[in-house]
Amino acid sequence: MKARYLGLSALLICALAGCSQPVPSGTAPATAAAATGSPVSITDFANRTVQLQQTPQRIVALSNGEVDIVYALGGSVVGRPTSSHGAPVKEAEQAQMIGSTHELDLEKVALLQPDVVLGNDPMNEKDIPAVESIGAQMVLSSANSVADIQRQITLLGGMLAKEERAQQLNDQLTQHIAALAERSQTAHTKPKALLVYGAPGTYMAALPNSLSGNILELAGGSNIAADLPGLQSFPQYAQLSTERVVEADPDYVFIMTHGNSEEVKAGFLKEMQDNPAWSSVKAVKQNHVEILPSDLFGTNPGTRVTEALDQMHQLLYPSDTDE
């Protein structure tokens, strides 16, 4: 059978750029004095040493994951990403919307007089001079795994002089992962799944080195795209081959998106209907094609990654009702 490839668009590439880039390993731990007025020194994911004269009080975050983490640590933000779905934390609803990692509205940010702007590594590296020109510092991070989210928690905990709280959050997350691993060990075989990242007419397979791919594996699933080559610009994703999917015969197909979830699902189902080969796939025959919530899987969910892990585990092991 000749492989049929589902299309790849510039729009999706743009969407992925802000949330799926590799980060350097071994980021140095953050250090900060406990007092608000004391100097703060942190090393971000771009291996930049950021010096702050005091613990920042006015924080702008360009992605929802960082908003969630800041509030989980006991802080707050004055600026948050522009979104039609509301803030990830109720307390952040009143914060000014200031664009996103893809398109920062510097004028709105400047009016907020922030101490620090939390951006993506490496996408927002180009914005550092502009942010510094308004008297703020930029701290860069990203999340391609649950371990990266823990690194973010450690980094922001140091920035806010909340190291103890950061350690508590990370310990809870580590324990949560261990509990899921123990529950998954009872299975004779791991359920096979395909993770599709899509916009209408455009679909890619998420690899294990992406955040969603890591969540799938930690929740006890097997990624059928694990051996596919990553795209040159975005190595966490691969071009989706219908032939490869049919050969692997996944038990589940999970669809993730930043856009209209129902529209993406309808488009993907049409792709499957137009290609009879899909009808032989177990996930299609058993109606196991699921849309994953965008706030948990379409972007970095911050500390809510525990919810993403639980939801994925329950989808993979529907008979597992153990809380």
Side-chain angles (χ1 to χ4, degrees):
M1 183 195 310
K2 183 178 180 180
R4 176 172 179 244
Y5 289 96
L6 303 176
L8 190 65
S9 75
L11 175 63
L12 186 58
I13 289 176
C14 177
L16 291 171
C19 57
S20 299
Q21 294 291 336
V23 296
S25 60
T27 299
T31 58
T36 299
S38 301
V40 177
S41 177
I42 55 177
T43 303
D44 70 5
F45 280 34
N47 203 31
R48 299 166 53 247
T49 299
V50 180
Q51 303 283 353
L52 299 167
Q53 294 185 358
Q54 61 181 13
T55 303
Q57 301 299 300
R58 301 185 62 79
I59 300 170
V60 167
L62 302 184
S63 72
N64 284 328
E66 285 78 4
V67 172
D68 174 89
I69 293 171
V70 167
Y71 280 87
L73 289 167
S76 62
V77 301
V78 294
R80 65 179 177 89
T82 299
S83 172
S84 59
H85 303 294
V89 180
K90 183 179 179 180
E91 293 80 2
E93 286 287 352
Q94 300 305 312
Q96 173 70 47
M97 291 189 287
I98 42 72
S100 68
T101 54
H102 312 297
E103 190 173 356
L104 170 65
D105 190 326
L106 188 63
E107 183 177 352
K108 288 183 178 179
V109 172
L111 289 174
L112 294 173
Q113 299 182 313
D115 301 314
V116 68
V117 176
L118 305 179
N120 174 267
D121 172 42
M123 188 173 185
N124 294 119
E125 192 168 1
K126 68 183 187 308
D127 298 312
I128 293 173
V131 168
E132 291 180 345
S133 74
I134 63 171
Q137 294 278 11
M138 178 162 268
V139 175
L140 301 176
S141 68
S142 58
N144 294 314
S145 66
V146 177
D148 279 349
I149 292 177
Q150 291 181 296
R151 291 174 59 207
Q152 288 182 315
I153 292 171
T154 298
L155 174 67
L156 299 184
M159 184 186 78
L160 294 171
K162 298 286 186 179
E163 292 92 344
E164 184 175 347
R165 175 58 179 159
Q167 187 61 56
Q168 290 174 349
L169 291 171
N170 279 332
D171 288 346
Q172 291 168 6
L173 184 48
T174 297
Q175 292 165 10
H176 200 97
I177 293 169
L180 280 181
E182 184 176 351
R183 289 161 61 180
S184 301
Q185 285 176 356
T186 60
H188 296 296
T189 59
K190 292 183 177 181
K192 296 183 295 182
L194 168 67
L195 286 166
V196 179
Y197 203 112
T202 304
Y203 309 99
M204 294 189 296
L207 300 177
N209 59 334
S210 67
L211 177 57
S212 56
N214 185 231
I215 290 172
L216 172 65
E217 292 190 338
L218 292 176
S222 174
N223 191 336
I224 68 162
D227 60 350
L228 293 180
L231 296 168
Q232 184 174 0
S233 299
F234 304 101
Q236 293 84 18
Y237 297 85
Q239 194 166 6
L240 184 57
S241 163
T242 304
E243 183 179 64
R244 175 70 180 94
V245 175
V246 171
E247 179 186 357
D249 195 23
D251 301 294
Y252 298 91
V253 174
F254 300 124
I255 304 172
M256 306 169 292
T257 180
H258 276 306
N260 186 308
S261 297
E262 290 306 317
E263 185 179 357
V264 170
K265 183 176 182 179
F268 189 71
L269 290 175
K270 187 176 187 305
E271 292 273 1
M272 292 190 292
Q273 291 167 0
D274 290 345
N275 185 348
W278 279 96
S279 63
S280 65
V281 175
K282 185 184 299 183
V284 177
K285 291 191 293 185
Q286 297 182 352
N287 197 29
H288 287 165
V289 179
E290 302 281 350
I291 288 280
L292 299 176
S294 59
D295 60 330
L296 294 180
F297 293 93
T299 186
N300 171 12
T303 62
R304 295 180 62 211
V305 71
T306 54
E307 297 177 36
L309 286 162
D310 286 343
Q311 181 160 338
M312 179 63 75
H313 180 84
Q314 192 59 43
L315 288 169
L316 295 168
Y317 301 91
S319 62
D320 185 357
T321 58
D322 180 22
E323 298 295 334

